[in-house]
Every structure is written in structure tokens, then in C-alpha cells.
Amino acid sequence: MKAKNANKTCWNCPAAIFKGHVDFRACGQSIEPKFVDGEQSIMIECERRPDLGLYEPSITLEQCTEWQLTEYGYMLKNMRIMILGIDGYLGWTLALKLGSLGCKISGIDNFFRRNCVDEKDSHSVIPINNIHERIKAAKEILGIEIKFKEIDILDRKELRNFLDEVKPEAIVHYAECPSAPYSMVDCDHAIKVQTNNVIGTLGLLFLMKEIVPETSLIKLGTLGEYGSPLTGRALFEGIFPGEAVLNWNNTEWSLGGELTPRDPVSFYHVSKVQDTFNIYEACKYWWLRSYDVMQGVIYGVHTEQVAADEKLRTRLDIDEWFGTVVNRFVAQAVMGFPLTIYGKGEQIRGFIALEDAMECMTRLIISPPEPGQYDVVNQVSGLYKIRELAETVAKVGKEKFGIDVKIQRVENPRVEAEKHPFNVVSQKLPNTFGFKPKVSLEKEITRMFQLLTQEPIRKKIEEKAHLILPETWWSGDKKQVETLEVYKPGTKELKGYEPKLITEERNE
Ligand SMILES: NC(=O)c1ccc[n+]([C@@H]2O[C@H](COP(=O)([O-])OP(=O)(O)OC[C@H]3O[C@@H](n4cnc5c(N)ncnc54)[C@H](O)[C@@H]3O)[C@@H](O)[C@H]2O)c1
């Protein structure tokens, strides 16, 4: 079968440099474009193939000698990819995956994550070396070269120099604080998260406009930007589809093409919503191009590359600030700590295994958007109730590892609906980019048990057991949550709404 991106053209290629005064507008009321002298079409020069001279941007990726066919589709040879936040859970994993595909990897990090985890007096329960040791191991074990600079994304002078030096052809932006509870600790933490995330991204957009306007930005948002509408309205992929209609007071308007409503659930999530608008505007004003990834919660420890050697593993946190739910549940089970569900546990969220998430990112990176294109993908492979996750972790633990663990409901320190419908549209990754999930929830949980039950890791989990129960309340209180109920897995019926993940392009 033909690769999904085979028919894309120079329009999508970061090596295509537009020539002459091409005045694009994306406000819906475009002015007449002005063309290169005498030419009646938009002309480009190829940064990679200067021998082609000035030409119309019509060569397909399939025809171009700079693009090669891979299992993910056509990919720019030795594509220069800069990962912002390369020392993090996802950044490190992606660097190794893309490096193993032959991409030229560069990255920055200022160790924001390591410092916040220190602030909690916690640690990654999977031991990780400092970035320099990690980079050395990547070279020795996988033959991957990584060009790294310790830079704070807020330091625009340093970031400008590095962008100018590398001239990346895609930028993956992970360099944000990823924690909702951390942003709810107090005023200082909320300001720190919003400054880091919002101002960091805004500054980056200005630098991209100046230095690498042809480069695509693959930016991590979160599914939590949308909230969980109590009406059950589907969570579309960021932008209403063409058929969507608003009917009010006997009048109908099309909503097609407009950004969908956002209903963030913490000051962290608000920072992501603000990013969404800033990126959307930058694409509109300056013809930048971006995929904004509404990311479900990622769980797991496995990709081929991070599993290749213990020196290559990625971090895993379990404390109340940085431990995400599935990762934390498996760690809790490993030490026999009841799996803590906040409130009713019927909250539904979107999830995806680490390996699948990395595959989605690879597919997005190699198929860049067109100039001015702001697009959103919902990156998720399964929707689960929190109680259901606890049951699955307990079941895998018992059946495959002989571990008996209880489930414990505690007070919910968050302000969130504990019972709600949840219908998520995720059509673009499977249909436009050819993504098919490979890793089931049970499979990744099994891999996690295999790793986390290893003695040195189990010990590191036990050392931080006291940091698991939440103390950070959305109300601003700082107190341990009370237990509401403790029960044996498999003894309670799962109630509430059935979520729906809509992946088919037409769902009649
Ligand atoms: N892990 C998930 O389940 C998940 C889900 C939804 C969205 N996301 C988003 O994905 C991105 C990466 O998440 P992660 O889980 O890998 O988090 P992470 O904290 O492990 O990674 C982020 C990295 O960025 C770095 N960083 C933060 N601020 C920086 C700055 N100012 N300058 C330079 N580096 C900086 C951190 O030190 C860290 O290494 C985040 O934007 C997060 O919000 C993650």
C-alpha cells in the first residue's frame, strides 16, 4: 500500500524556502499574493537541492530523492529534529527512537523536572543518570549522536543561538511543567508553571518566525484542555468539523473550522490552553506550521530503545505531584500499597502506552503540516475509568506476578466531575497518519511489573511510599486525604457512563 504521505509535496517540506514576496494571510480575507518577478505562481528554492534552482513546489515526497520510505511513511533523510525537554520522560524516549531511525537529534533541557522532583524530596524510581552520561550511553550502545545544550527555554538569547546553529527541520516541544497538582500548590507554583509554559512557548514562536519559519512545531498539549463536558458532546480534534452547527433562538450557524471550547481542570491545564491560542495565532499571523497534540495520559516503560540497556531507561515518578495514574498504580501494587482512587473513581480519561505515543509522534514529525497550517490531533488509544485501571493493574499483578493488592477510595483533592460521559474523537492519527495501536493496557502493565519488581527498583519505590497519598488540594489546603473505603479487586460492579472513542472517519 502507498505510504499515507507519498503525495504530499514541497509544500510540506521544511527544506522548501519560499522566494519573493509571498504575503500569506490566514484571516479568511486574504489579499492577492504577490509573486516572484514575472512568475505567475509561488516559487521556492530547495535548501537541500540547490541545483534545482527556482521552481514550483510540486515535487511529491515519493518523487523527491531527499525523502526515503520507512515503515512510518516517507521521511526526510537525516532529518534535523530538535527536542525541547530532551531529559524528560517523553523527550528522552523520543530522542532514542528518532535517533535510531537516522534522524539528527539535538535537544535542550534546564532540568526543571529533576529540580521539582527534588523539591518534593522524591526521585525517579527507575534510576537515571545525568544527561551527559545518558548521551554517552546512547552513543556507545545505539550509535546515536545527540547534540545537547543546557538551556532554559525562557532564555531566548541562548535558544536563538542554538536554533541558528542547528536549523532544525522539526521542533518537538516537551519543555513544560507537566503536573496539574504542582500548579495547584500555591500562588508561587501556579505562577511558576504558567510562566514557564506560556511564556516559554510564546518566546519560542517568535524565535521560530525569525530563524526557522519553515520548521514544523509539534507541541504537546493535553486532552485535559477540553475537560469533560457533562452534555456528552464529543471532544473533537481541536477544531469543529465542517458539519457542526450551532442552533440558537431559531437560527443556525456553521461552527466548522472554529476552535472547539476548552474547559481546563487546573492552572497547569490553563497554561496548555493559552499555548493553544498562541500557536494558533502564530500560524495565522506568520504562516508557521504546527501540530498541537492533545495528549492522553501516557503510561509505561517500554520502547525498543529504552529497553536496550539499563543506562538508556527513561524516568518514572510515583509521587503525588509527578506520578501519573497507571505508572503509580503499578508501583503501588509492587509494594502492596492499596491502589488509591480519588473520589468515586468513575472519572474517565484517555490513555496511551509509551511505545504507541512515540510511534504517533514519529508519524507526525515525518509528515509536516503545510505553511500556515495549525492542526490538532487527539493522541489516545483507550478510554478508561480510574476504577477500571485499578482493577486491571490488580488483576495483572495477581495473575502474572502473584501480587495481592487492595483498592482504596480516598477523598478527592481535585475539583472535577466524578461521573461524566466521555466521547473522544481521534480520527487523524489512524486515518491520515496511518497509526494503529500495538500495545494493549494489559501488555504494558505486564512489562511494567516485570521491570518494577526488580529488586533495586522495588527498593526505590518503597523509599518514596510516603509521597503517594495526595496532600495538594485544589482548595489550597495541605492535608492528607481521608480513606473512604477499602475493597478487594473484583468485588464491585463497574458503574457509570460508557466512554466512546471515535476513530473511524465516518461514524454513522
Ligand atoms: N506524560 C504524560 O502522560 C503527558 C500527558 C499529556 C501531556 N504531556 C505533556 O508532554 C510534555 C512532556 O511530558 P513529560 O511527561 O515528558 O514531562 P517531563 O517533565 O518528564 O519532561 C519535560 C522536560 O522539559 C524540561 N523543561 C521544563 N521546563 C523547561 C524549560 N523552561 N527549559 C528547558 N527545559 C524545560 C524538564 O526538565 C523535563 O526534562 C509536557 O509538555 C506535558 O505537559 C505529558
Side-chain angles (χ1 to χ4, degrees):
M1 208 175 71
K2 207 164 164 160
K4 292 271 185 194
N5 64 356
N7 292 336
K8 288 184 182 273
T9 64
C10 308
W11 276 98
N12 296 83
C13 179
I17 314 294
F18 289 92
K19 287 298 179 188
H21 177 72
V22 184
D23 192 348
F24 296 109
R25 295 286 164 97
C27 58
Q29 300 186 2
S30 66
I31 58 165
E32 289 287 303
K34 301 188 185 87
F35 302 112
V36 182
D37 295 345
E39 298 287 347
Q40 279 308 299
S41 55
I42 289 171
M43 304 294 275
I44 59 163
E45 268 173 12
C46 179
E47 186 238 344
R48 287 184 170 229
R49 299 173 67 188
D51 50 299
L52 294 177
L54 206 59
Y55 66 101
E56 286 184 33
S58 55
I59 302 176
T60 64
L61 305 188
E62 192 178 20
Q63 291 163 339
C64 181
T65 51
E66 285 301 302
W67 289 75
Q68 64 197 1
L69 191 56
T70 70
E71 62 180 299
Y72 304 109
Y74 282 91
M75 182 173 197
L76 196 53
K77 281 184 197 161
N78 305 317
M79 192 173 189
R80 299 188 298 274
I81 300 172
M82 185 178 282
I83 300 178
L84 312 177
I86 197 169
D87 188 45
Y89 175 52
L90 306 179
W92 180 247
T93 315
L94 187 65
L96 298 189
K97 177 167 181 84
L98 295 173
S100 71
L101 289 171
C103 302
K104 287 208 152 79
I105 307 298
S106 57
I108 67 156
D109 210 293
N110 70 342
F111 313 119
F112 181 101
R113 170 62 173 257
R114 292 187 190 237
N115 295 334
C116 295
V117 172
D118 282 351
E119 181 188 334
K120 187 77 185 164
D121 194 27
S122 191
H123 57 214
S124 165
V125 296
I126 293 183
I128 52 168
N129 281 326
N130 69 44
I131 189 75
H132 303 291
E133 292 294 324
R134 299 177 105 183
I135 289 172
K136 206 164 131 223
K139 171 81 180 133
E140 280 167 10
I141 299 159
L142 301 175
I144 296 170
E145 294 266 8
I146 297 174
K147 194 193 249 288
F148 173 77
K149 285 245 162 87
E150 180 179 343
I151 296 177
D152 182 339
I153 193 177
L154 293 171
D155 183 345
R156 290 202 297 284
K157 185 162 167 276
E158 285 299 310
L159 187 56
R160 169 188 278 109
N161 291 342
F162 198 40
L163 285 170
D164 208 23
E165 179 189 330
V166 174
K167 293 267 168 49
E169 290 163 315
I171 295 176
V172 178
H173 181 13
Y174 282 139
E176 295 201 339
C177 174
S179 166
Y182 190 81
S183 74
M184 300 304 293
V185 171
D186 56 21
C187 182
D188 286 344
H189 286 77
I191 290 176
K192 181 175 170 185
V193 171
Q194 292 215 353
T195 308
N196 189 63
N197 294 3
V198 176
I199 307 304
T201 299
L202 185 60
L204 172 69
L205 292 167
F206 273 87
L207 289 178
M208 287 184 67
K209 166 186 189 268
E210 186 190 325
I211 302 166
V212 280
E214 292 83 15
T215 296
S216 55
L217 174 66
I218 294 92
K219 161 69 174 54
L220 265 285
T222 153
L223 215 53
E225 287 189 31
Y226 303 124
S228 47
L230 293 176
T231 57
R233 171 179 54 73
L235 304 182
F236 295 105
E237 296 188 271
I239 296 164
F240 276 117
E243 322 85 273
V245 161
L246 176 68
N247 188 326
W248 181 75
N249 216 3
N250 300 324
T251 312
E252 255 188 25
W253 297 273
S254 167
L255 286 175
E258 294 196 20
L259 290 181
T260 63
R262 304 301 199 266
D263 187 10
V265 286
S266 72
F267 291 125
Y268 152 72
H269 290 93
V270 172
S271 76
K272 295 288 192 185
V273 173
Q274 177 72 48
D275 285 345
T276 284
F277 281 92
N278 286 338
I279 300 168
Y280 178 75
E281 295 305 316
C283 292
K284 185 161 67 171
Y285 306 154
W286 307 325
W287 223 244
L288 296 187
R289 45 189 112 183
S290 180
Y291 293 134
D292 205 352
V293 180
M294 297 304 130
Q295 177 66 68
V297 185
I298 299 181
Y299 57 91
V301 290
H302 184 89
T303 63
E304 192 186 325
Q305 297 76 33
V306 296
D309 189 282
E310 62 184 54
K311 291 196 212 119
L312 298 176
R313 289 173 182 161
T314 195
R315 65 176 309 125
L316 197 88
D317 297 86
I318 61 165
D319 63 84
E320 64 140 342
W321 285 350
F322 289 97
T324 51
V325 62
V326 181
N327 293 352
R328 194 162 43 78
F329 278 174
V330 178
Q332 286 178 236
V334 163
M335 61 177 159
F337 190 118
L339 309 184
T340 37
I341 287 173
Y342 302 170
K344 289 195 177 75
E346 279 168 31
Q347 303 89 319
I348 307 167
R349 297 287 181 268
F351 294 85
I352 186 166
L354 182 61
E355 191 176 7
D356 281 338
M358 295 298 105
E359 174 161 340
C360 290
M361 292 298 286
T362 305
R363 289 178 182 272
L364 293 172
I365 292 163
I366 68 166
S367 287
E370 293 184 0
Q373 186 183 347
Y374 169 82
D375 213 343
V376 184
V377 297
N378 290 346
Q379 188 169 298
V380 56
S381 66
L383 310 176
Y384 304 99
K385 293 191 182 109
I386 304 302
R387 279 187 44 197
E388 199 178 348
L389 295 174
E391 291 286 350
T392 309
V393 169
K395 182 165 168 277
V396 174
K398 173 116 178 114
E399 288 176 2
K400 299 199 177 156
F401 299 87
I403 292 172
D404 251 323
V405 69
K406 296 217 162 52
I407 298 176
Q408 174 185 21
R409 287 203 307 111
V410 297
E411 290 174 299
N412 190 348
R414 303 181 174 215
V415 176
E416 63 185 4
E418 290 179 11
K419 205 174 209 174
H420 57 89
F422 205 58
N423 301 313
V424 178
V425 178
S426 178
Q427 294 173 327
K428 291 180 199 161
L429 276 161
N431 298 299
T432 312
F433 297 93
F435 165 68
K436 283 197 191 77
K438 291 189 186 131
V439 188
S440 69
L441 182 63
E442 287 79 4
K443 179 171 176 182
E444 190 59 27
I445 288 175
T446 305
R447 285 168 170 169
M448 294 180 75
F449 270 111
Q450 279 160 349
L451 187 62
L452 301 195
T453 47
Q454 290 179 15
E455 200 41 35
I457 297 180
R458 207 179 59 80
K459 256 180 119 172
K460 284 191 83 89
I461 294 173
E462 275 177 354
E463 281 169 30
K464 298 304 169 192
H466 60 288
L467 298 175
I468 284 180
L469 278 180
E471 292 179 347
T472 306
W473 288 68
W474 265 225
S475 60
D477 288 345
K478 303 276 167 295
K479 57 173 187 195
Q480 274 233 336
V481 291
E482 298 287 334
T483 301
L484 302 173
E485 182 186 11
V486 181
Y487 61 93
K488 258 181 83 151
T491 58
K492 282 193 168 251
E493 199 193 330
L494 262 182
K495 292 186 295 200
Y497 291 97
E498 277 310 308
K500 195 162 169 200
L501 183 61
I502 302 153
T503 55
E504 299 296 321
E505 265 189 318
R506 280 262 156 220
N507 207 281
E508 305 299 346

